[in-house]
Amino acid sequence: MPARSPFMQSDSPRSPSAQRRRQIQRRRATALAALGLLVLVVSIIVDGGSGTSRRTPPSPRAAERQRIHIAVSAARHRLAIEDRAIDHVLSYTPFVTSGGGRKREVALTFDDGPGPYTPQVLKTLHKVHAPATFFEVGFMERWFHASTTQAIADGNVVGDHTEGHPKLGLLPRPQQRDQIVSQAEWLHKLGAPRPRLFRPPFGSFDARTFRVLRHNRMLMVLWSVDTNDYRQPGVKVIVRRALQGAKPGGIILLHDGGGARSQTIAALPEIVKKLRERHLKLVTVPQLMLDDPPPRGQPLPHYLSGG
Ligand SMILES: [Zn+2]
């Protein structure tokens, strides 16, 4: 008889006692699995319950509304004064291309955001303590509304640049109204102040646009300096163009959306530095309207398609 190997089973797999053992093992495994599942479910419920009360952060939209509320409350007095300044300007002109030029103030304005480059633009402006005015496209808020919140929290002003960036001059009045009002709705959802400033995409507008703006108490903000930065002509060219036309009361057109904006971002510190070397103070457009309102009877610029 061969010696029994210590690794050999004492019973053959088919013996009645082996079958019984396997049955017990299966039952144990099933019971353990059920217990494990129960522990998992209970832990999820308990964790979820405690998380709701202690750890779950508010939804981004609620958090953003709160940030904007805090920023707007802190600036309530200034915003009310600027609102009245815009009302005053609207009492004698429906559009502006610049301030009056009596004070050494200029306004940087950014179109076509919010977008993937807006956080960097905001960071750069914040670093050099320069406020700006952003004319935003409503459609982009779906993805980039956090930048709108950041812009307002930083003390910038957000204006209306339509919902979908069309040439308004080609649209009937109801569609023009929808384009302007839809963007304002996005800002309302975020808890931002109602936009008082509007900039027409492509500088395209007509008499119907002015009727819609009048109804919504909005001032059309054009510009006196066009850097054409959206064509990405190079950092030096953007800086040179911004400075060439920068005079007291100037409104400088830049872009934070509508394509790659690395050149604009790289140009910004130099633009701000050089403007300050000329003793020009950087302000938002409402601040410019308050400090240095435009003269009556500003002509509509010839470079625009509107009329
Ligand atoms: Zn635009």
Side-chain angles (χ1 to χ4, degrees):
M1 233 173 121
R4 280 175 78 94
S5 156
F7 301 106
M8 280 176 73
Q9 286 190 315
S10 57
D11 302 305
S12 100
R14 290 187 180 180
S15 71
S17 61
Q19 279 178 6
R20 173 88 187 124
R21 235 188 348 264
R22 275 202 305 281
Q23 220 171 22
I24 291 166
Q25 280 169 354
R26 268 202 298 273
R27 277 183 197 155
R28 273 186 193 155
T30 309
L32 277 172
L35 185 66
L37 190 66
L38 185 69
V39 168
L40 186 69
V41 168
V42 168
S43 69
I44 288 170
I45 290 168
V46 169
D47 190 48
S50 65
T52 306
S53 58
R54 290 203 319 261
R55 290 203 307 268
T56 306
S59 73
R61 192 56 62 80
E64 287 181 48
R65 284 187 71 89
Q66 200 179 4
R67 278 195 81 193
I68 288 178
H69 177 72
I70 291 166
V72 169
S73 298
R76 201 172 50 238
H77 185 61
R78 176 176 57 80
L79 290 172
I81 292 172
E82 289 176 356
D83 249 15
R84 283 201 293 276
I86 292 168
D87 283 337
H88 170 65
V89 172
L90 276 172
S91 72
Y92 64 87
T93 178
F95 70 92
V96 294
T97 54
S98 68
R102 293 173 297 273
K103 283 206 164 190
R104 297 198 68 80
E105 292 184 348
V106 290
L108 295 181
T109 62
F110 293 86
D111 286 10
D112 298 354
Y117 291 86
T118 309
Q120 263 180 286
V121 170
L122 290 171
K123 210 178 278 181
T124 308
L125 289 171
H126 191 69
K127 217 167 158 183
V128 294
H129 307 289
T133 306
F134 290 82
F135 290 95
E136 294 190 342
V137 177
F139 185 73
M140 301 300 285
E141 300 285 359
R142 283 164 180 76
W143 302 282
F144 299 104
H145 51 78
S147 284
T148 302
T149 305
Q150 188 64 49
I152 294 167
D154 284 352
N156 300 295
V157 171
V158 175
D160 191 330
H161 197 44
T162 73
E163 174 68 14
H165 207 269
K167 287 189 174 177
L168 286 184
L170 304 177
L171 298 179
R173 186 176 166 184
Q175 283 183 35
Q176 290 201 28
R177 186 184 56 79
D178 286 351
Q179 281 289 334
I180 293 166
V181 170
S182 296
Q183 196 276 357
E185 274 298 308
W186 276 106
L187 296 180
H188 178 68
K189 274 183 211 162
L190 281 173
R194 205 173 70 81
R196 299 295 316 274
L197 307 177
F198 172 79
R199 176 169 282 163
F202 309 104
S204 168
F205 56 87
D206 59 15
R208 293 170 292 189
T209 319
F210 282 125
R211 281 200 288 275
V212 174
L213 293 180
R214 190 164 55 239
H215 187 75
N216 288 280
R217 293 175 58 231
M218 283 186 193
L219 177 66
M220 186 187 285
V221 179
L222 302 169
W223 54 90
S224 58
V225 180
D226 189 355
T227 61
N228 270 307
D229 63 329
Y230 71 95
R231 293 182 195 268
Q232 304 184 59
V235 176
K236 280 185 182 172
V237 177
I238 295 172
V239 172
R240 197 184 65 228
R241 284 175 182 161
L243 297 170
Q244 259 171 2
K247 295 185 296 198
I251 297 177
I252 301 172
L253 172 60
L254 293 152
H255 293 78
D256 64 313
R261 295 284 82 93
S262 308
Q263 292 185 5
T264 304
I265 292 161
L268 261 182
E270 189 70 3
I271 292 172
V272 171
K273 188 172 143 234
K274 288 275 175 16
L275 288 173
R276 284 175 172 161
E277 279 174 11
R278 294 183 190 179
H279 304 289
L280 288 164
K281 186 184 173 192
L282 290 150
V283 295
T284 62
V285 172
Q287 179 81 46
L288 186 65
M289 295 300 100
L290 174 67
D291 295 344
D292 188 19
R296 288 165 194 268
Q298 268 191 338
L300 263 181
H302 62 86
Y303 52 79
L304 296 175
S305 59

